[in-house]
Amino acid sequence: MTTTLTLDIGTIQLFIDDASPSGAPRVALARFGKADQRVLARHASADRLAPELFGALFASAAGLKAPKPGLANDPATGLWWLTSLPTGMPDLSRRFNIEKIPPAAKQAAFATVAAWITSRRQFPAMLAWDEWINNRDRGIQNLLIDGDDCAPADHQQAFDCHDEDYTDVNKLAQLVNATLAPAAQMQIKRGAVRATMTFSADWPRMVQDALTALPIKLGKPAALRQWLQSRHPEIAQRIENRISGGQTNLAL
């Protein structure tokens, strides 16, 4: 089955909320075609916009549930904003009210969240996909609830575009190691390795083609495609190395 990868391209009509701290999403009204839509808009520098858009489309190519990205220009400033439709789906941190839980109860709360995440249908494939894109920042704040499953969001600290202080870690594999019994760890590992067998080395090219047609020149799509295609043969072995069959300290 061929997946068509598209982005909504539009124009910011007005910002509904007050200016947010640098990098924080803003609520805006954007026009896509003839329709005005309320969106979450986040401005990013060109070097951050490329991996974010590439990651969002790459998730769609992989068949993962993920927010559909858009791109809207603000005529007042000439800046481009990354947009997504408000889904009403909270991230896991808000869904489980992690910030409101007393410190003494947070370990038990994290165990509850971990049990929910690791039991989702999409989890093994998402773990394998995060290994492919080298996502080093998959915290519960950038996993969204989508019905009875979870969806990845925020890909700026992925590919070879992560900041230097982000260590080489797959946080979903780390979660498996920290919270599951050895037999359950092996089950997740087998599921993740099976998922890699469905991953196509042609997906990065599909994403590059989609981004090349945009009205903004990103500069990185070709380099990201090449980087992903070179990493493709290594994914299964990387997963084998990530999931240990033992116990480590939980770090989300």
Side-chain angles (χ1 to χ4, degrees):
M1 181 177 66
T2 302
T3 301
T4 301
L5 304 178
T6 60
L7 288 126
D8 294 325
I9 308 296
T11 305
I12 298 288
Q13 301 297 296
L14 60 94
F15 288 101
I16 298 172
D17 61 350
D18 295 328
S20 304
S22 178
R26 297 188 63 184
V27 180
L29 190 68
R31 179 164 297 168
F32 299 100
K34 297 181 179 180
D36 289 346
Q37 293 181 311
R38 187 185 178 99
V39 298
L40 294 177
R42 185 171 75 248
H43 175 63
S45 60
D47 61 333
R48 291 301 189 196
L49 192 59
E52 187 65 61
L53 288 172
F54 206 106
L57 290 180
F58 199 46
S60 297
L64 297 176
K65 291 184 177 182
K68 183 181 179 182
L71 199 59
N73 182 258
D74 178 9
T77 62
L79 297 176
W80 286 91
W81 291 71
L82 181 70
T83 68
S84 60
L85 295 177
T87 60
M89 302 181 300
D91 64 51
L92 287 171
S93 178
R94 286 182 289 170
R95 167 64 177 80
F96 288 92
N97 294 316
I98 293 296
E99 294 181 358
K100 298 180 180 179
I101 294 173
K106 282 200 171 182
Q107 184 172 359
F110 275 129
T112 299
V113 176
W116 191 89
I117 297 172
T118 55
S119 64
R120 297 307 93 187
R121 177 195 60 80
Q122 184 167 268
F123 180 80
M126 193 162 55
L127 185 156
W129 183 76
D130 260 0
E131 189 62 40
W132 191 359
I133 70 170
N134 192 29
N135 192 313
R136 301 185 177 191
D137 187 34
R138 182 67 68 211
I140 59 177
Q141 293 82 6
N142 51 36
L143 283 173
L144 306 178
I145 292 179
D146 186 352
D148 195 40
D149 220 326
C150 53
D154 190 351
H155 318 291
Q156 292 189 36
Q157 298 295 338
F159 308 104
D160 59 346
C161 306
H162 51 77
D163 296 334
E164 291 183 1
D165 56 340
Y166 281 77
T167 57
D168 183 9
V169 61
N170 182 322
K171 289 197 171 183
L172 296 185
Q174 186 181 57
L175 184 66
V176 169
N177 289 336
T179 63
L180 298 183
Q185 291 182 28
M186 294 303 102
Q187 183 177 0
I188 294 291
K189 178 188 283 191
R190 288 192 294 271
V193 170
R194 280 197 301 270
T196 69
M197 299 176 186
T198 69
F199 289 175
S200 170
D202 195 45
W203 292 345
R205 181 201 54 77
M206 293 167 54
V207 176
Q208 180 189 350
D209 289 347
L211 294 182
T212 300
L214 294 181
I216 177 176
K217 189 170 181 62
L218 296 175
K220 273 184 171 286
L224 293 177
R225 171 187 60 78
Q226 293 169 358
W227 185 89
L228 283 165
Q229 288 177 328
S230 69
R231 191 174 171 93
H232 178 261
E234 308 169 0
I235 313 170
Q237 186 57 56
R238 286 179 175 275
I239 292 167
E240 292 281 356
N241 296 339
R242 292 284 192 197
I243 300 179
S244 64
Q247 293 286 328
T248 62
N249 292 324
L250 176 61
L252 280 176

